[in-house]
Amino acid sequence: MKKWYLICLFSLSIVAVNAQQKYDVAAFIWPAYYPDERAKIFWPDGIGEWQTVKSNKPKFAGHQQPRYPLWGYVNEADPYVMEMEIAAATRHGVNVFIYDWYWFDGMPYLEGCLNDGFLKAANNRDMKFYLMWANHDVEPAWSKHLAGYNHSLVWKGGVNREEFEKLCKRVIEMYFSQPNYYMVAGKPSFMIYDLNLLIQGLGGLEKTKEALEWFRAEVKKAGFKGLDLQLTLRADMQGNVSAVPSDREATQLSAIKDLKFDGATHYQYCHFMGMDGDYMGKVAIAEQTRDALEKELPCPYYPHVSVGWDTNPRYEMLMPGIVENNTPENFEKALRNAKAYVDAHPKQAPLIVVNSWNEWTETSYLEPCTMFGYGYLEAVKRVFYSK
């Protein structure tokens, strides 16, 4: 009797600790660090993008590269590895993973990290997750191995209505039904990466509206209150987002309203500003952009914080756009500002979106590294974790 009492008491203490965190700190996951046959076109060694990370070298004197993972080149489709990562994330205040999710050539791509790693981890219920459909085109830039590739496009991100319905049904059946899938007001969240390609693939703004209404109806038929549809924004808010000939013009803002998006955020600072220069300068621009969007958007804006930016690990030549001074201390300042924004908007979900958990080849990651140790995770913990 005493043993069962202690077990129940311990379980309740875990629930109590998790319940104390009033913020949803959501980090994007780049699910490319595991063996995948289709991924060998980019990383023929069969270890995913770790192949690129392992070959990382500095490009100039003072370049803050290479940075290597303290945990080593782990297989993130291994549930035991993901148990470790979930434990590290939740103990530092990261309680949601947003998985970059792909659909190319009529089938999913890079699902192993989620399906075989996260969802099979014994402690996966300790945190929430949801999907960001990365519906962008894929070019050879993912891999040094394809530096001399003659074609400019490997896969197209846009899909027609038939493919859209196929992928939506998969998402509803396989993921929305998971007990730890992230929801806002009882509605499973689903994020769209590229608005232009969504509209282009589906054949125009009105056809996209019809497709999304079908998606919402399917989600309700599956027993949910509805769909929480989110969008990652780009800099050009007034440009035409429909590339379909003869389709009516629509700005990003008007499309968000017409298509009834429920929330918006950013995926990376690089999507709305130049990336050369001091990190705190980038944070200031992000905060100004956020405050302006609050006045323009017809839906809630969820504050975004990027850890940094430097894509040189992916290239042999020197690439411009390197953020400097993105130390854990400066990252913490950005987090505190995002937290203040959430506190000032109590009627929306307490969601803060971070890029990212593991974007090693874009140098924007929370995982512990050889340069800063656990510094970035400790910064999150100081701001958001409650004992």
Side-chain angles (χ1 to χ4, degrees):
M1 183 70 177
K2 184 177 180 181
K3 180 180 178 182
W4 280 108
Y5 171 79
L6 290 174
I7 291 173
C8 292
L9 187 63
F10 177 71
S11 299
L12 287 171
S13 69
I14 293 175
V15 172
V17 168
N18 289 341
Q20 286 179 13
Q21 185 164 328
K22 61 178 286 191
Y23 304 94
D24 295 327
V25 182
F28 289 110
I29 292 252
W30 163 229
Y33 298 107
Y34 73 96
D36 181 272
E37 284 300 313
R38 285 181 80 196
K40 284 185 177 180
I41 185 176
F42 303 107
W43 310 292
D45 286 359
I47 57 172
E49 206 181 22
W50 286 133
Q51 180 175 340
T52 302
V53 178
K54 290 174 73 174
S55 65
N56 188 11
K57 296 177 182 178
K59 297 286 199 310
F60 56 87
H63 191 195
Q64 290 197 325
Q65 298 286 355
R67 305 185 189 189
Y68 299 130
L70 282 185
W71 292 335
Y73 306 107
V74 295
N75 175 1
E76 292 189 331
D78 184 329
Y80 293 100
V81 169
M82 286 310 300
E83 283 177 26
M84 173 195 69
E85 297 195 16
I86 291 167
T90 54
R91 289 173 186 172
H92 289 85
V94 179
N95 56 350
V96 184
F97 279 159
I98 305 176
Y99 271 85
D100 294 359
W101 185 81
Y102 299 89
W103 185 274
F104 300 122
D105 288 345
M107 66 186 78
Y109 176 62
L110 292 179
E111 277 191 338
C113 178
L114 174 57
N115 294 349
D116 300 324
F118 181 85
L119 290 177
K120 291 181 180 178
N123 60 348
N124 77 76
R125 302 288 180 87
D126 291 349
M127 75 186 308
K128 303 287 186 179
F129 81 99
Y130 69 107
L131 303 185
M132 190 278 295
W133 177 24
N135 63 323
H136 57 74
D137 293 340
V138 175
E139 299 176 352
W142 270 354
S143 174
K144 293 177 182 178
H145 171 70
L146 294 179
Y149 195 67
N150 294 324
H151 299 86
S152 60
L153 191 66
V154 179
W155 289 313
K156 292 179 63 176
V159 300
N160 60 25
R161 178 64 181 266
E162 181 182 0
E163 283 299 309
F164 180 76
E165 292 192 8
K166 184 178 176 182
L167 72 88
C168 287
K169 288 177 180 178
R170 182 180 182 84
V171 165
I172 294 169
E173 293 170 4
M174 288 188 61
Y175 301 117
F176 288 2
S177 60
Q178 296 292 333
N180 56 336
Y181 195 88
Y182 184 77
M183 300 187 187
V184 174
K187 301 176 181 180
S189 299
F190 186 75
M191 190 179 291
I192 303 290
Y193 180 83
D194 195 308
L195 180 61
N196 299 59
L197 289 179
L198 177 73
I199 295 171
Q200 182 179 341
L202 290 171
L205 192 66
E206 289 304 315
K207 290 183 178 179
T208 302
K209 186 175 181 179
E210 292 170 4
L212 292 177
E213 288 304 317
W214 171 88
F215 189 13
R216 291 185 177 95
E218 289 296 304
V219 174
K220 286 186 176 180
K221 280 201 297 186
F224 301 98
K225 292 182 179 180
L227 176 69
D228 176 55
L229 189 65
Q230 301 177 7
L231 177 68
T232 65
L233 301 167
R234 299 299 187 275
D236 186 7
M237 299 295 289
Q238 300 303 326
N240 183 18
V241 296
S242 178
V244 179
S246 76
D247 192 36
R248 71 180 178 87
E249 288 196 6
T251 67
Q252 188 173 191
L253 279 173
S254 67
I256 290 169
K257 183 177 181 180
D258 289 347
L259 300 177
K260 300 178 183 178
F261 278 91
D262 301 284
T265 187
H266 283 98
Y267 183 77
Q268 232 290 346
Y269 286 166
C270 72
H271 288 168
F272 60 104
M273 69 176 85
M275 295 305 285
D276 273 311
D278 184 74
Y279 180 73
M280 291 310 297
K282 307 306 172 189
V283 171
I285 294 172
E287 292 166 2
Q288 293 165 7
T289 302
R290 177 200 67 199
D291 294 342
L293 286 170
E294 179 187 9
K295 299 180 178 67
E296 295 182 285
L297 287 172
C299 61
Y301 178 81
Y302 298 119
H304 168 82
V305 179
S306 289
V307 181
W309 183 257
D310 179 1
T311 60
N312 276 284
R314 274 198 179 130
Y315 300 92
E316 296 293 348
M317 74 292 287
L318 175 64
M319 297 297 292
I322 299 175
V323 170
E324 301 171 347
N325 301 318
N326 57 320
T327 61
E329 293 74 21
N330 283 337
F331 174 60
E332 181 177 340
K333 294 175 185 176
L335 292 175
R336 291 195 181 280
N337 192 282
K339 179 182 178 182
Y341 183 88
V342 169
D343 290 341
H345 296 78
K347 293 184 179 180
Q348 67 184 52
L351 178 64
I352 293 101
V353 176
V354 178
N355 184 294
S356 74
W357 179 252
N358 60 351
E359 282 278 14
W360 288 92
T361 53
E362 294 179 357
T363 319
S364 188
Y365 55 82
L366 292 174
E367 289 182 328
C369 71
T370 51
M371 183 167 291
F372 293 116
Y374 281 76
Y376 291 127
L377 280 174
E378 290 295 332
V380 178
K381 184 176 183 178
R382 286 191 293 271
V383 178
F384 292 108
Y385 187 77
S386 299
K387 292 184 179 179

